[in-house]
Amino acid sequence: MVNETTQSAAGRAWTETDVVYVDQPELTMSERLYLPQVFGGMKTTLRHMFKMRLRKEKVVQYPEQKRQLRKEIYRGVHRLNRDDQGRVACVACFMCETACPAHCIHIEGVESPWPDREKYPIKFDIDELRCIYCGMCEEACPVDAIELTPEYHLVGSSRDEMIFDKEKLLMVYDRTKDEKPRKNPMITGY
Amino acid sequence: MDFIKDTLADQFWFSIILSLAIFGGIMTAVAYCILLERKVSAWIQDRYGPNRVGPKGLLQPLADGVKLLFKEDIVPGHIEKTLFILAPFISFVVALIGFAVIPWGGAFRWPWMAEDAAPLYCQVATIDIGLLYILAVASLGVYGVVLGGWASNNKYAFYGGIRAAAQMLSYEIPLAMMVLVGILTTRSLRLEEMVTAQLGVDSAAPMAALFGLNGFAWTLFYHPLAAVILFITALAEANRAPFDLAECEQELIGGFHTEYSGMKWALFFLGEYAHMITSSAFMIAIFFGGYCVPGWTWLNTSDSVLAMLLRGGVFSFKILLFIMAYMVVRWTLPRFRFDQLMQLAWKSLVPIGGALVLLQVWILYKDLPQWVSIVGNVTILAVVALIGVVVQKPITGRQRSLIKKERIVRMREALVQRG
Amino acid sequence: MAKIIVDGREIECRERIPVLYAALEAGWDIPHYCYHPGLDVVASCRLCLMEMKMPHPKTKEMDWSPKLLPSCQTPVKDGMEVRFNSDRVRDNRRDCMEYYLLNHPLDCPVCDQAGECWLQDYSRKFGEATSQMVEAKNVNPKKDVGSKTLLYQDRCVMCSRCVRFCDEIAGTGELGIVNRGSKSEIDVFPGVPLENELQGNVVDICPVGALLDKDFLMDQRVWFLKSSDSVCPGCSTGCAIHVDHNRDQVWRLKPRFNPGVNDWWMCDEGRFGWKYIHDERRLDRLVVRRGAEIEYPDWSALDEIARIRFGTVVKDDGEEKVAGVLSPFMACEEAWLLARFIREIAPKATLVMGPVPTEGEDKLFPQNNGDSAKFTIRSEKCPNRRGIEMILKNAGGPSVSFEDFVKKAGQSEFAAAWVVGGYPGEWVTKEFASSLAKVKMVFAQDLFSSPLTEAAEVVIPSCSWAERSGCFVNHEGKIQPFEAAIAPLEGCQRDGNYLFALSGESGLYNASRVRAMMAEVMPEFGKLHVPPSLPKHAH
């Protein structure tokens, strides 16, 4: 432990030259009097307040207008990918459930009926209300079976409705596969 | 017909009618203040704000009201019920009754009244101690917050209430001092007389009008520093940012109103906005010339009904400007830390306020011309700035960090210890 | 005690134990697969190799040996000097780890062992991230070797622990190694599957994911599990176990090292015998019958109900008409609290020990070698007969055997009885049920509904041992504490909680506090048998 804390990444012990001292800047006269700074801040806010142009450029009038998304990286509703035979690509390894910081994924794995795979999920529930859309599940998945889609119009009239099960997640894949094709080819052998 | 004319010409009945009109007006104004707040915050943040209900979102207050009325009114099980229900009402009522002494339009006569008849005052109550009344009522407002926080039996609410109480106590002192400066300058306790004193044309008036313009002897010009401090304390008294420690969302979830919902919650907010309007009206009457428009003698002094209505309009317009100022401040400044809040009150506002009061008393005692106060104000500001240079600390008290040399020494010691 | 020098540091250790184990006990993390302290040494995994100082053949000077020596096969000798921190030792470990992974499928994501796998741990600590293997990996499908065990040959590291276990501990020898070299594999003989009663242990000792438990297969990832120290209630051996649970559900039991009682092992009966904990038919609410009326009162009312009803019986029929039946499935603390309550209400009440279930004969392992038994499955299928006997002896006063109690109850000699069950199976016999009908008032505290609970006036749902805490006294008198693993079934309360309140104590039930109270009258409860823990890096 001692070695870990006192050695730099290069394996060399810390010396004083490695330390960068950052000091709080000295306050100027107007900063010390506070009020001039207040007026400075108000000048900025007032400038924005009377700039109609910025508003017109930046505001998206949802739902009439929709945002231009970067579909490759947008983190919306999850989907469960299908492999080339139309089966669920997930191997029920629980890595997403483990990585999930919000504990919103619940999987039940069983022995798979297919020879090329050991395990598959019989149940795969994601609580979309609990999810924080961090994308950790996507990062953790060893077979790229779970992905986040650019789909963000997510509504439901009850909490139960917002718990997406396996069928619903596969349906999301069917709906979004043209918009965002599955990234990587399937890895076999699990 | 005569009966109606007589009734209108009687100050008592006129006051009752006026109070009803003001009540209705204020309620609408408060509702639209909330819309304005949302709009201003949106504009400042380059957004549009509510724009779905009605043209340009103008019916939004109606929608909000309907929603809040029909919302489930949750009364938690662990509260002190009587006080819990009472608190928002105290908060709301107290904010409203302050309007009674605001001189909206000054003195006037109906066309059917005799020339020499005593004029009517466009004011609900013309009392000798109008100013004390408004101070007393404004101080009561904190009871709503403290009781609500205490009755909620919830740590966040309790902290909110305690903070509100401490804050009110601290800021009441500089506020009272500034009001005292106003009283000593205009030499009256009646709000309507304080306004007329700021006309500045009367030879008997204590203050001379600037540039000889009628209605341009605002206390503001003789005590600019006092006006600034009064505005700061008014922000604090109204629990507005940057002094909204009693309800700060990030630390206290909502502070004193954490447990409130529906209409009771809405009453707190109506109270807060009503308080904003009252405190603006109050400041305008004392320091910003009330309904006076510089240079428009007819408007400032005429006793006709039209002039009275116009004066009311001028007063309202000034209030609107103040409220805009409140809002811009709220959406500009970050909140104070609690120790900074106290430091600001006790270490800067109170001493400066004291100096200002002494200055004005000295002027009165020596019977000096009023313009001396301008010199005095500038001097006090210069002294404060000088002290700031010497003390090397901001008036709000930034947390002191170690200076560079000290830290290097400490770092060395730590390295030596580790080997 | 011997003194040896490891990596330049002197350590003290027991005589004649392997250097490997001495180093493990002293805190070293020495990788090893084939070595298990309970099995013979084969020194086949080559991971624990070390350097030792020995005299040079010509100059007779002490110097490091030219070849690496297996530390598991080298016994400790006073004054010897060995080292594990040399480059040669490290290189050997790294190369060995690369060999181990040549044919390994690297299917950790779907492997149940992942998270408690020593191949993962050692690869990370001692191995390399890359492999030089370019040929196709051997593919070896999974084999169904026994009714409870699966063999994934792909993942096997050929440490032969399982083979040695079957030979040496179980004595049945079903498993063996077939073929040679890189083609060698573990297998069973045709027609002789792995069917001994200790087969669950081969899964425990398998350091990798080759042998897996069918019962636990794909149920949970092991890192979700929380582990509680407990004692197996299956028989009077009292094996120390870990209860692995997650979200108030038990998933598996694992043996806990307990020298002299169960060593490293446990039997399949105990290992898989916990399923009744989550049986849907369990009683889950307090029931009070007043004639034909049925009430479901709150738990806080139980104290009053019991005191009023027993008080009425004592007043109407006399003290000697009250009986308490203590079950050998109760923890000592609970039994003591209940006995105290009954004796307080009716000092002349009769205390009875409930039926002690037995099944066949004690089973000794290795089989056919009774003289040096390394593991025993007892015929007495309850955990705490000795404990209840101790409590009854201490309580004194009238006490009869269960048979006599049934007889006497049948002759209407009792008017009130508090009967505790807690047996995992059916236990109420016809005679018992018919004689209970003669008892006016019965308080039944049990897990499942039976003729007893049907007839009882007050039915108190009991908890399984995994939901309670306390101690069991095993067949040789060792007092072993166990902790509550999971929260009680909804609607139930831990038995200790209400018994504690009933016996007039205030506050919450805490097994160690009750034990301290018991130790004042029964000093033997002051000393518990708590097994030592394994060295941190041993497995």
Side-chain angles (χ1 to χ4, degrees):
Chain A
M1 271 323 275
V2 174
N3 287 351
E4 275 173 31
T5 48
T6 53
Q7 295 211 337
S8 66
R12 168 172 69 79
W14 290 114
T15 61
E16 210 175 288
T17 46
D18 292 326
V19 183
V20 179
Y21 295 96
V22 182
D23 261 289
Q24 279 189 351
E26 293 254 316
L27 292 183
T28 62
M29 182 71 182
S30 73
E31 277 167 347
R32 245 177 270 140
L33 277 177
Y34 193 69
L35 271 182
Q37 294 297 308
V38 169
F39 290 120
M42 301 228 319
K43 213 175 91 189
T44 310
T45 42
L46 285 172
R47 195 175 62 233
H48 279 269
M49 192 169 159
F50 293 110
K51 250 189 200 160
M52 303 295 234
R53 189 175 48 80
L54 272 177
R55 229 169 287 160
K56 283 222 172 76
E57 278 171 12
K58 288 191 178 156
V59 174
V60 179
Q61 294 282 353
Y62 184 84
E64 290 90 1
Q65 301 170 5
K66 300 234 167 78
R67 244 181 89 189
Q68 205 62 40
L69 299 179
R70 286 198 280 165
K71 287 181 178 156
E72 280 310 301
I73 58 165
Y74 189 82
R75 302 198 298 262
V77 182
H78 311 75
R79 70 182 189 194
L80 265 184
N81 290 340
R82 291 180 192 277
D83 61 10
D84 40 17
Q85 295 173 48
R87 308 169 306 184
V88 58
C90 171
V91 293
C93 70
F94 288 64
M95 290 300 142
C96 47
E97 186 171 336
T98 306
C100 182
H103 303 298
C104 68
I105 306 178
H106 300 282
I107 308 171
E108 264 175 43
V110 291
E111 230 175 318
S112 88
W114 310 300
D116 61 339
R117 215 188 297 166
E118 186 65 36
K119 235 170 138 183
Y120 90 114
I122 188 119
K123 251 176 86 176
F124 196 111
D125 292 345
I126 299 183
D127 189 341
E128 299 286 347
L129 291 176
R130 221 176 158 164
C131 176
I132 56 168
Y133 300 94
C134 63
M136 295 275 208
C137 46
E138 195 175 349
E139 296 282 329
C141 186
V143 291
D144 286 312
I146 186 167
E147 277 178 348
L148 291 127
T149 63
E151 194 72 35
Y152 63 90
H153 319 276
L154 184 62
V155 286
S157 52
S158 69
R159 284 174 195 274
D160 288 345
E161 212 174 290
M162 299 300 280
I163 297 173
F164 279 31
D165 60 6
K166 193 174 105 185
E167 269 57 52
K168 214 161 173 181
L169 290 166
L170 286 169
M171 221 162 71
V172 178
Y173 171 71
D174 294 338
R175 277 202 356 214
T176 55
K177 66 183 170 195
D178 303 325
E179 198 180 354
K180 179 187 176 181
R182 200 176 159 198
K183 244 187 303 192
N184 298 328
M186 159 130 179
I187 302 164
T188 51
Y190 283 128
Chain B
M1 208 52 202
D2 280 347
F3 170 72
I4 295 173
K5 280 180 180 172
D6 285 350
T7 311
L8 281 177
D10 187 78
Q11 178 71 53
F12 177 74
W13 292 110
F14 178 73
S15 287
I16 287 177
I17 292 163
L18 184 67
S19 67
L20 290 175
I22 289 174
F23 181 74
I26 296 289
M27 290 305 291
T28 321
V30 162
Y32 274 89
C33 266
I34 294 170
L35 176 65
L36 184 68
E37 175 98 64
R38 295 173 66 182
K39 280 282 189 190
V40 167
S41 70
W43 293 333
I44 284 174
Q45 294 160 1
D46 294 330
R47 295 183 285 117
Y48 283 99
N51 62 352
R52 299 277 152 173
V53 190
K56 300 257 170 204
L58 279 175
L59 295 181
Q60 187 69 34
L62 209 68
D64 285 349
V66 169
K67 176 204 154 197
L68 285 167
L69 266 178
F70 287 100
K71 233 177 117 86
E72 186 189 356
D73 192 7
I74 299 162
V75 178
H78 54 76
I79 49 127
E80 171 73 42
K81 207 167 172 186
T82 327
L83 293 179
F84 183 80
I85 294 168
L86 198 62
F89 287 95
I90 293 181
S91 194
F92 179 64
V93 169
V94 162
L96 276 184
I97 56 178
F99 291 111
V101 291
I102 300 297
W104 297 100
F108 74 102
R109 290 187 185 83
W110 293 113
W112 57 84
M113 282 165 72
E115 284 289 311
D116 55 349
L120 284 173
Y121 284 94
C122 181
Q123 184 172 359
V124 177
T126 55
I127 43 179
D128 288 337
I129 47 156
L131 215 135
L132 292 188
Y133 167 82
I134 214 167
L135 278 180
V137 162
S139 311
L140 279 179
V142 72
Y143 276 97
V145 174
V146 173
L147 285 181
W150 184 77
S152 295
N153 191 12
N154 166 317
K155 273 178 213 149
Y156 295 119
F158 185 66
Y159 275 129
I162 293 288
R163 281 182 178 194
Q167 183 181 325
M168 290 284 170
L169 282 175
S170 307
Y171 279 83
E172 205 106 281
I173 293 162
L175 174 78
M177 282 174 166
M178 292 313 106
V179 171
L180 195 57
V181 170
I183 294 168
L184 293 175
T185 315
T186 55
R187 290 160 212 187
S188 172
L189 278 168
R190 296 177 82 103
L191 279 163
E192 63 273 20
E193 281 178 12
M194 293 175 93
V195 172
T196 44
Q198 294 177 56
L199 293 174
V201 283
D202 205 338
S203 57
M207 297 177 285
L210 292 180
F211 316 116
L213 290 174
N214 184 307
F216 210 38
W218 297 0
T219 321
L220 168 72
F221 302 117
Y222 291 96
H223 281 293
L225 200 52
V228 172
I229 293 177
L230 185 65
F231 185 73
I232 293 171
T233 52
L235 280 177
E237 290 286 302
N239 268 331
R240 292 282 302 183
F243 300 101
D244 54 348
L245 279 100
E247 51 180 298
C248 46
E249 291 85 359
Q250 292 87 345
E251 308 162 35
L252 296 184
I253 320 299
F256 64 92
H257 59 70
T258 306
E259 296 283 1
Y260 284 91
S261 61
M263 211 51 213
K264 282 211 274 293
W265 177 83
L267 279 180
F268 270 126
F269 276 84
L270 294 180
E272 183 186 321
Y273 283 91
H275 195 120
M276 274 164 67
I277 298 176
T278 329
S279 58
S280 308
F282 174 62
M283 277 189 283
I284 289 163
I286 303 179
F287 273 85
F288 294 83
Y291 46 73
C292 304
V293 178
W296 197 352
T297 315
W298 172 78
L299 179 90
N300 292 342
T301 53
S302 166
D303 60 357
S304 70
V305 177
L306 181 65
M308 181 272 281
L309 290 175
L310 276 175
R311 285 198 291 254
V314 168
F315 205 108
S316 307
F317 180 70
K318 283 185 181 175
I319 290 178
L320 180 69
L321 288 184
F322 262 78
I323 283 174
M324 291 292 281
Y326 273 139
M327 285 171 184
V328 174
V329 167
R330 170 167 177 188
W331 295 103
T332 304
L333 298 181
R335 186 181 300 123
F336 282 115
R337 213 168 50 218
F338 201 77
D339 62 313
Q340 292 175 334
L341 177 93
M342 286 294 149
Q343 202 153 10
L344 179 63
W346 292 102
K347 289 194 180 170
S348 49
L349 297 189
V350 169
I352 298 172
L356 285 168
V357 172
L358 283 179
L359 168 71
Q360 184 59 32
V361 168
W362 182 65
I363 290 169
L364 281 186
Y365 180 68
K366 292 277 179 188
D367 212 11
L368 296 174
Q370 187 59 40
W371 57 261
V372 176
S373 68
I374 303 174
V375 182
N377 267 273
V378 174
T379 319
I380 290 170
L381 193 64
V383 170
V384 168
L386 249 176
I387 292 171
V389 172
V390 175
V391 174
Q392 293 268 327
K393 266 163 93 181
I395 50 171
T396 50
R398 185 154 94 179
Q399 265 177 344
R400 220 185 108 112
S401 56
L402 293 172
I403 61 163
K404 198 172 175 181
K405 268 184 201 160
E406 270 178 293
R407 272 198 289 142
I408 292 175
V409 170
R410 287 199 184 184
M411 200 72 187
R412 274 215 190 101
E413 281 167 5
L415 275 170
V416 168
Q417 272 176 5
R418 258 194 259 154
Chain C
M1 295 296 262
K3 278 185 182 165
I4 63 168
I5 298 169
V6 184
D7 291 352
R9 213 180 89 199
E10 196 179 63
I11 58 170
E12 266 191 64
C13 51
R14 286 169 286 145
E15 296 276 3
R16 306 297 303 162
I17 61 167
V19 173
L20 169 65
Y21 208 70
L24 286 172
E25 279 188 342
W28 264 264
D29 185 5
I30 315 292
H32 59 285
Y33 285 136
C34 65
Y35 176 77
H36 189 283
L39 303 172
D40 279 355
V41 175
V42 291
S44 68
C45 75
R46 313 314 282 175
L47 272 175
C48 68
L49 300 193
M50 61 173 180
E51 279 185 281
M52 187 166 76
K53 264 204 177 155
M54 48 173 59
H56 193 273
K58 282 182 187 156
T59 61
K60 305 295 176 204
E61 260 175 51
M62 293 299 275
D63 198 6
W64 296 110
S65 54
K67 292 185 89 176
L68 299 173
L69 299 164
S71 63
C72 61
Q73 218 172 23
T74 314
V76 163
K77 191 166 169 285
D78 202 25
M80 77 194 295
E81 190 176 352
V82 300
R83 65 176 181 187
F84 291 100
N85 59 357
S86 69
D87 284 343
R88 273 205 297 162
V89 172
R90 274 194 282 265
D91 288 351
N92 167 64
R93 286 172 185 170
R94 200 189 56 230
D95 298 345
C96 276
M97 287 317 298
E98 193 177 338
Y99 274 118
Y100 277 124
L101 291 177
L102 282 187
N103 281 315
H104 190 82
L106 290 176
D107 57 350
C108 301
V110 295
C111 173
D112 269 359
Q113 188 82 2
E116 52 183 14
C117 173
W118 295 92
L119 193 55
Q120 280 184 329
D121 289 5
Y122 290 163
S123 295
R124 193 184 155 272
K125 279 186 200 151
F126 308 111
E128 288 266 289
T130 53
S131 169
Q132 299 166 51
M133 172 88 162
V134 286
E135 287 82 13
K137 290 188 174 190
N138 278 353
V139 176
N140 219 332
K142 68 182 171 195
K143 284 180 253 184
D144 196 354
V145 288
S147 58
K148 291 164 184 145
T149 317
L150 272 180
L151 171 64
Y152 288 78
Q153 187 56 50
D154 278 350
R155 300 171 185 163
C156 180
V157 292
M158 299 307 289
C159 67
S160 79
R161 276 178 169 199
C162 49
V163 177
R164 279 175 286 149
F165 178 84
C166 290
D167 288 348
E168 295 165 22
I169 309 296
T172 45
E174 294 102 331
L175 291 174
I177 299 177
V178 298
N179 296 336
R180 303 189 62 185
S182 68
K183 296 276 192 289
S184 58
E185 52 185 274
I186 306 288
D187 211 341
V188 290
F189 297 99
V192 192
L194 179 65
E195 285 305 340
N196 67 62
E197 282 176 87
L198 302 179
Q199 62 165 287
N201 291 300
V202 299
V203 177
D204 297 339
I205 57 173
C206 182
V208 297
L211 283 162
L212 291 176
D213 195 339
K214 279 185 189 169
D215 184 60
F216 182 65
L217 194 71
M218 297 171 188
D219 271 353
Q220 280 280 308
R221 301 317 303 253
V222 293
W223 52 84
F224 292 140
L225 297 176
K226 290 180 276 290
S227 193
S228 300
D229 290 355
S230 189
V231 173
C232 177
C235 74
S236 59
T237 301
C239 297
I241 54 167
H242 287 296
V243 177
D244 286 352
H245 55 98
N246 174 22
R247 290 190 190 136
D248 285 337
Q249 189 175 354
V250 174
W251 288 99
R252 64 175 183 187
L253 306 187
K254 285 266 178 192
R256 179 159 58 101
F257 180 53
N258 191 0
V261 177
N262 60 312
D263 297 328
W264 298 267
W265 327 117
M266 76 184 288
C267 68
D268 290 353
E269 195 183 324
R271 187 188 295 266
F272 304 116
W274 52 270
K275 300 291 166 61
Y276 69 91
I277 297 175
H278 299 301
D279 197 314
E280 279 175 11
R281 290 165 298 174
R282 271 203 29 204
L283 299 172
D284 61 355
R285 56 183 168 179
L286 188 60
V287 178
V288 173
R289 296 199 179 87
R290 294 175 202 278
E293 257 179 71
I294 294 184
E295 276 179 32
Y296 305 107
D298 189 70
W299 277 96
S300 56
L302 179 62
D303 191 11
E304 207 185 326
I305 292 170
R307 279 179 185 278
I308 290 179
R309 296 209 173 189
F310 273 97
T312 321
V313 170
V314 168
K315 214 165 66 189
D316 295 351
D317 303 275
E319 284 177 7
E320 58 283 350
K321 289 267 187 180
V322 176
V325 181
L326 307 179
S327 154
F329 277 85
M330 293 174 97
C332 295
E333 292 85 350
E334 293 157 4
W336 186 70
L337 289 170
L338 181 58
R340 207 169 72 148
F341 165 69
I342 291 172
R343 278 290 153 83
E344 182 209 319
I345 290 260
K348 288 183 197 152
T350 310
L351 292 178
V352 186
M353 169 142 81
V356 176
T358 51
E359 199 180 292
E361 297 275 306
D362 287 1
K363 287 180 197 152
L364 302 183
F365 294 91
Q367 278 174 3
N368 317 323
N369 189 7
D371 302 335
S372 58
K374 289 176 176 160
F375 190 79
T376 313
I377 305 175
R378 305 270 155 199
S379 58
E380 193 179 296
K381 296 297 176 198
C382 62
N384 202 21
R385 177 184 56 84
R386 291 270 309 245
I388 303 296
E389 277 171 1
M390 282 158 77
I391 305 276
L392 290 181
K393 201 175 138 213
N394 174 265
S399 174
V400 294
S401 72
F402 186 69
E403 288 75 27
D404 288 345
F405 169 74
V406 172
K407 236 179 267 165
K408 281 188 171 181
Q411 293 153 7
S412 304
E413 281 190 31
F414 293 110
W418 184 305
V419 184
V420 184
Y423 299 82
E426 278 186 23
W427 66 286
V428 182
T429 56
K430 259 186 197 154
E431 303 92 75
F432 184 35
S434 61
S435 65
L436 271 176
K438 302 268 174 62
V439 181
K440 221 165 46 176
M441 188 190 75
V442 177
F443 274 52
Q445 176 186 339
D446 206 350
L447 284 172
F448 297 102
S449 90
S450 63
L452 167 69
T453 57
E454 300 293 314
E457 257 192 71
V458 177
V459 181
I460 305 163
S462 185
C463 283
S464 68
W465 103 103
E467 294 150 290
R468 307 191 317 236
S469 58
C471 63
F472 289 146
V473 183
N474 80 345
H475 71 103
E476 45 180 2
K478 283 185 170 142
I479 302 172
Q480 306 194 88
F482 60 96
E483 59 185 35
I486 54 174
L489 189 69
E490 201 175 333
C492 290
Q493 281 214 348
R494 295 204 163 105
D495 300 21
N497 281 7
Y498 52 83
L499 292 175
F500 195 61
L502 265 184
S503 66
E505 301 289 340
S506 62
L508 286 175
Y509 169 77
N510 176 321
S512 60
R513 201 175 133 203
V514 178
R515 269 200 296 276
M517 285 153 63
M518 289 161 75
E520 284 171 19
V521 286
M522 288 180 277
E524 53 271 41
F525 278 98
K527 198 170 176 298
L528 299 174
H529 172 78
V530 180
S533 50
L534 279 175
K536 191 181 165 199
H537 300 290
H539 59 94

